[in-house]
Amino acid sequence: MTAEQVSAVRSFNGTQYVFKHKSSTVSCEMTFGVYVPDHTSGTKLPGLIYLSGLTCTHANVMEKGAAQGPASKLGLIFIHPDTSPRGTDVADADRYDLGQGAGFYIDASWEPWSNHFKMRSYIESELLPVVSAVVPALDTTHIGITGHSMGGHGALTLGLTRPDLFRSISAFAPIANPTECDWGRTIFGEYLGDDSKVEWKKFDASILLAAYSGPARSILIDQGTDDNFLKQGQLKPETLKSHGSAAVEVRMQPGYDHSYYFVATFMGDHIEHHHRQLIL
Amino acid sequence: MTAEQVSAVRSFNGTQYVFKHKSSTVSCEMTFGVYVPDHTSGTKLPGLIYLSGLTCTHANVMEKGAAQGPASKLGLIFIHPDTSPRGTDVADADRYDLGQGAGFYIDASWEPWSNHFKMRSYIESELLPVVSAVVPALDTTHIGITGHSMGGHGALTLGLTRPDLFRSISAFAPIANPTECDWGRTIFGEYLGDDSKVEWKKFDASILLAAYSGPARSILIDQGTDDNFLKQGQLKPETLKSHGSAAVEVRMQPGYDHSYYFVATFMGDHIEHHHRQLIL
């Protein structure tokens, strides 16, 4: 089913769109944003998927992420989906890190979440065909993936397990080792069950990285040193180590926090990182 | 009285601050933001005041204006005050274009506004000393002024009447001829009285420009062609014409609207415009 345009606004010599569509994967209406630089008809442009963090929708990075300028300059389509299924019939919880706004980019197998919370499948199977149907310039064979915090975890885990889909990887302040932090243990317990620690490991970037044997990847990570979630042990960037064909660069950025001021500051570098590898 | 720091966050190799202070001019607590690029101790940097539009606070441009990157690159301090006095004892109205959030950068002479609504005096007399007390790097002798919509009106009228304070001028989608548009007539009638049309003209950019005889100024204006307020006749950029020592460039930007997507797109150009003139 074709996505319906919610809005379109000119931005940095391109158009910032918002669309919505009925998702068969997560069984509800989903919203996504996509920024498309101006291009001559028939041109194909590479794309970058940006996965947002806890509590965010598609809108946070659209308003505060400063992606449009660098994406326009280089000619890259910037795709930013929502963080979870939503709606009155979608399960939710009375906390910010579980339920709506907190899909964690995994496929939930436990009740009450398993009905809708299939964000991993949504990103890897449904999103790109839906986007390319409305943005024909998108070259779905040249796609990178990045994200912030929970979305950084999503970008790393999707990127490392689906190198056939994602040719370039980066992350901003990712939850790098969720099986060993409070957020991950709590949420994986809810979505995957407490007794399936084997299953948990499939969604842990540092574990996936240590076993990586796919095509060569150069992975850029930025992490602020004054990030409260870093101090709380939720992020653990030190667990991300180069392994085999995966080269990891973790840049500790002095004084930066976990906010979109941090994301916006380094967004240009990440877009360049992806563009360089996507045009190879 | 020294301003009190509300927040400080790293952004684009600089610091985005928010401060608050008791204003003697508008007789209430006022909040302002200031972005300070990293600099060596003792250095003086030029400054640019950005006046925001209707309904905005100091925060809109801070989050969505994309000023920090270009300000950091060139070494310019970006100062963004609130749009009006605020508080439970400050007069307000049940409409978005009058009262709190809608100071119009004039000094009100009529009740119930005359007690607090002295935004013109606040910007020209109080803001810079308060900012420079907490940001000693600010070179208060090299200050430019810009703004968006109501703030564009503020920037043009302050810039044209106080060339001694403001060395460079620009505006985004300004209310260029308020004495001839609905917003201006309604709000000037409230703040200045219906019978003081002579007074009104002191706060109309197109009238001030047609009589300008101050030092040479090169004024940059950007205006989106798909701006609904342009279509409604609230902005009237065609009334801004070069006159004598004031050279006006109005750039009509095809397809752009009135939003911060428009402001962010051209913010870099405006910061370059000011910086070029401020370092002369």
Side-chain angles (χ1 to χ4, degrees):
Chain A
M1 187 176 178
T2 307
E4 178 189 341
Q5 186 178 306
V6 175
S7 61
V9 58
R10 293 291 293 163
S11 170
F12 285 93
N13 301 311
T15 307
Q16 174 66 61
Y17 295 99
V18 176
F19 288 93
K20 62 182 180 180
H21 70 111
K22 294 264 185 222
S23 165
S24 56
T25 312
V26 298
S27 307
C28 67
E29 187 173 271
M30 290 293 282
T31 301
F32 65 86
V34 55
Y35 174 74
V36 185
D38 290 349
H39 55 277
T40 51
S41 179
T43 309
K44 289 282 184 183
L45 300 177
L48 175 61
I49 295 177
Y50 174 94
L51 303 177
S52 297
L54 286 165
T55 77
C56 289
T57 69
H58 69 285
N60 304 66
V61 74
M62 180 169 82
E63 297 173 350
K64 303 180 182 181
Q68 293 93 350
S72 175
K73 187 176 157 199
L74 294 174
L76 178 140
I77 291 171
F78 188 79
I79 304 157
H80 45 107
D82 201 349
T83 49
S84 80
R86 294 183 192 271
T88 50
D89 67 331
V90 173
D92 204 0
D94 221 7
R95 46 188 297 175
Y96 76 95
D97 55 359
L98 177 66
Q100 297 186 33
F104 264 84
Y105 308 104
I106 63 181
D107 286 353
S109 50
W110 271 40
E111 296 294 335
W113 312 107
S114 54
N115 210 18
H116 293 279
F117 285 76
K118 304 287 186 190
M119 284 302 290
R120 183 186 175 82
S121 291
Y122 175 72
I123 302 298
E124 67 183 5
S125 302
E126 190 171 5
L127 180 64
L128 288 173
V130 169
V131 175
S132 64
V134 288
V135 182
L138 182 65
D139 179 356
T140 56
T141 67
H142 287 77
I143 300 291
I145 193 161
T146 187
H148 173 225
S149 195
M150 173 182 78
H153 143 77
L156 294 172
T157 53
L158 275 152
L160 291 166
T161 51
R162 294 303 303 271
D164 56 319
L165 291 177
F166 304 112
R167 288 183 179 230
S168 56
I169 309 173
S170 78
F172 301 83
I175 304 173
N177 187 196
T179 62
E180 300 294 335
C181 79
D182 288 344
W183 270 337
R185 281 189 292 244
T186 307
I187 276 46
F188 285 10
E190 285 278 343
Y191 289 167
L192 304 172
D194 268 336
D195 55 354
S196 64
K197 299 279 166 67
V198 174
E199 196 64 17
W200 289 22
K201 293 182 180 173
K202 295 182 187 170
F203 303 106
D204 185 306
S206 64
I207 295 171
L208 291 170
L209 192 57
Y212 185 75
S213 63
R217 288 290 179 267
S218 166
I219 302 172
L220 175 64
I221 313 280
D222 276 304
Q223 171 63 59
T225 61
D226 273 17
D227 181 329
N228 281 331
F229 298 117
L230 174 71
K231 294 174 188 171
Q232 290 170 19
Q234 301 279 26
L235 305 176
K236 298 188 183 294
E238 68 281 4
T239 66
L240 297 173
K241 294 195 171 69
S242 296
H243 174 87
S245 53
V248 178
E249 182 185 13
V250 178
R251 306 193 304 189
M252 299 303 291
Q253 301 289 2
Y256 285 86
D257 69 5
H258 200 71
S259 72
Y260 267 95
Y261 293 102
F262 157 71
V263 173
T265 299
F266 300 104
M267 182 62 87
D269 288 357
H270 283 247
I271 286 177
E272 279 178 28
H273 167 85
H274 286 275
H275 186 258
R276 202 162 46 235
Q277 295 173 63
L278 291 172
I279 59 171
L280 285 181
Chain B
M1 187 176 177
T2 308
E4 178 190 340
Q5 187 178 305
V6 175
S7 61
V9 58
R10 293 291 293 163
S11 170
F12 284 93
N13 301 311
T15 306
Q16 175 66 60
Y17 295 99
V18 176
F19 289 92
K20 61 182 181 181
H21 69 112
K22 294 266 186 221
S23 164
S24 56
T25 312
V26 299
S27 306
C28 68
E29 186 173 271
M30 289 294 282
T31 301
F32 65 85
V34 56
Y35 174 74
V36 185
D38 290 349
H39 54 278
T40 50
S41 179
T43 309
K44 288 282 185 185
L45 300 177
L48 175 61
I49 296 177
Y50 173 95
L51 303 178
S52 297
L54 286 165
T55 77
C56 288
T57 68
H58 69 286
N60 303 66
V61 73
M62 180 169 82
E63 297 173 349
K64 303 181 183 181
Q68 293 93 351
S72 175
K73 187 177 159 200
L74 294 174
L76 177 140
I77 291 171
F78 187 80
I79 303 157
H80 45 108
D82 201 350
T83 49
S84 80
R86 294 184 192 271
T88 49
D89 66 331
V90 174
D92 205 0
D94 221 7
R95 47 188 295 174
Y96 76 95
D97 54 359
L98 177 65
Q100 296 187 33
F104 264 84
Y105 308 104
I106 63 182
D107 286 354
S109 51
W110 271 40
E111 294 296 335
W113 312 108
S114 55
N115 210 17
H116 294 281
F117 285 76
K118 304 287 186 191
M119 283 302 290
R120 183 186 176 83
S121 292
Y122 175 72
I123 301 298
E124 67 182 6
S125 303
E126 189 171 5
L127 180 64
L128 288 173
V130 170
V131 174
S132 65
V134 288
V135 182
L138 182 65
D139 178 356
T140 55
T141 67
H142 288 78
I143 300 291
I145 193 160
T146 186
H148 173 226
S149 194
M150 172 182 78
H153 142 77
L156 294 172
T157 53
L158 275 153
L160 290 166
T161 50
R162 294 302 304 271
D164 56 318
L165 290 177
F166 305 112
R167 288 184 179 228
S168 55
I169 308 173
S170 78
F172 301 83
I175 304 173
N177 188 196
T179 62
E180 298 295 336
C181 79
D182 288 345
W183 270 338
R185 281 189 291 245
T186 307
I187 275 49
F188 285 10
E190 285 278 343
Y191 290 166
L192 303 172
D194 268 336
D195 56 354
S196 63
K197 298 281 165 67
V198 174
E199 195 64 18
W200 288 22
K201 293 182 180 175
K202 295 183 187 169
F203 303 106
D204 185 304
S206 63
I207 295 171
L208 292 171
L209 192 57
Y212 184 76
S213 62
R217 287 290 179 266
S218 165
I219 302 173
L220 175 64
I221 313 281
D222 276 304
Q223 171 64 59
T225 63
D226 273 17
D227 180 327
N228 281 331
F229 298 116
L230 175 71
K231 296 175 188 171
Q232 290 171 19
Q234 300 279 25
L235 306 176
K236 300 189 183 293
E238 68 280 4
T239 66
L240 297 173
K241 293 194 172 71
S242 296
H243 174 87
S245 54
V248 178
E249 182 186 12
V250 178
R251 306 194 304 191
M252 297 304 290
Q253 302 289 0
Y256 285 85
D257 69 4
H258 200 70
S259 72
Y260 267 95
Y261 293 103
F262 157 71
V263 173
T265 298
F266 300 104
M267 183 61 88
D269 288 357
H270 284 247
I271 286 177
E272 279 178 29
H273 166 86
H274 287 274
H275 187 258
R276 202 162 45 235
Q277 294 172 64
L278 291 171
I279 60 170
L280 285 181

